Amino acid sequence: MLPTNTFKLARLLPRVATVSTVSRSQHTLPALPYDYSALAPVISGEIMTIHHQKHHQTYVNNLNATEEKLAQAVKDSDVSKIISLQPALKFNGGGHINHSIFWEVLSPNGGGLPTGDLMVAIKETFGSFDEMKSELTAASVGVQGSGWGWLGFNPDSGRLKIATCANQDPLFPTTGLVPLFGIDVWEHAYYLQYKNVRPDYVKAIFDVANWEEVGNRLANARLNV
């Protein structure tokens, strides 16, 4: 039997881009909902191109390769092999999930303040938008090494919560929180433009935050409670 987190991850993966083949579903790189240069000057077109076409594509390729090996290991009842593939499945599957969300929660028409139920939820949990922004900024900047800062929804409490994940660990399988808004703080997400000044990048990314999409994700999360 595979670990519980593997099944949780599997439930999330069909929500990101796949294409059917005769033998299995192949994950594919989702198209960006805007041009590569659309988020400039917050994130340059060069960074977006490399981030999407190189880094995200690599996660997709490696995830497909890992799932093929996993399918064969399951067919062969090779428990040792199944166990050995879990780190690669988590890393590359998480990278695919995280980035598929990341592109959607950014927008060239973003920034400003959330509205509607999202703003109500933010005020209920944090007291104000500025306080949520401050806490999410501090958490994201404070990630040691590579990882993500997240605004998530707790299905048990019905409230929002800020969390961080190391490397490409996906938020839901790792913490039980539904991801609403994520900040990628791997250096490949900002170094060409912001060098080693992560705080400037994190501060700027709120100017392209797609709060409408974040609000939609919150509404969907509540429907699935």
Side-chain angles (χ1 to χ4, degrees), residues 189-206:
Y190 63 88
Y191 195 86
L192 288 177
Q193 185 172 348
Y194 294 89
K195 306 307 180 190
N196 65 332
V197 190
R198 182 187 287 179
D200 286 355
Y201 157 73
V202 173
K203 178 182 178 181
I205 206 167
F206 286 94

Side-chain angles (χ1 to χ4, degrees), residues 32 36-37 41-55 102-103 186-195 201:
L32 291 184
Y36 285 113
S37 61
V42 174
I43 306 176
S44 71
E46 181 183 18
I47 289 177
M48 290 297 295
T49 301
I50 295 172
H51 199 172
H52 181 251
Q53 293 185 359
K54 302 299 183 182
H55 291 280
F102 187 60
W103 312 133
W186 280 67
E187 284 191 342
H188 65 235
Y190 63 88
Y191 195 86
L192 288 177
Q193 185 172 348
Y194 294 89
K195 306 307 180 190
Y201 157 73

Side-chain angles (χ1 to χ4, degrees), residues 108-136:
N109 301 314
L113 296 174
T115 59
D117 289 344
L118 175 59
M119 181 59 99
V120 171
I122 288 172
K123 289 182 177 179
E124 286 178 347
T125 301
F126 302 100
S128 69
F129 172 76
D130 287 342
E131 180 60 25
M132 182 280 291
K133 181 179 176 180
S134 177
E135 292 186 25
L136 181 55

Side-chain angles (χ1 to χ4, degrees), residues 166-181:
N167 300 312
Q168 292 297 350
D169 293 1
L171 185 67
F172 179 71
T174 304
T175 68
L177 300 175
V178 179
L180 302 180
F181 178 70

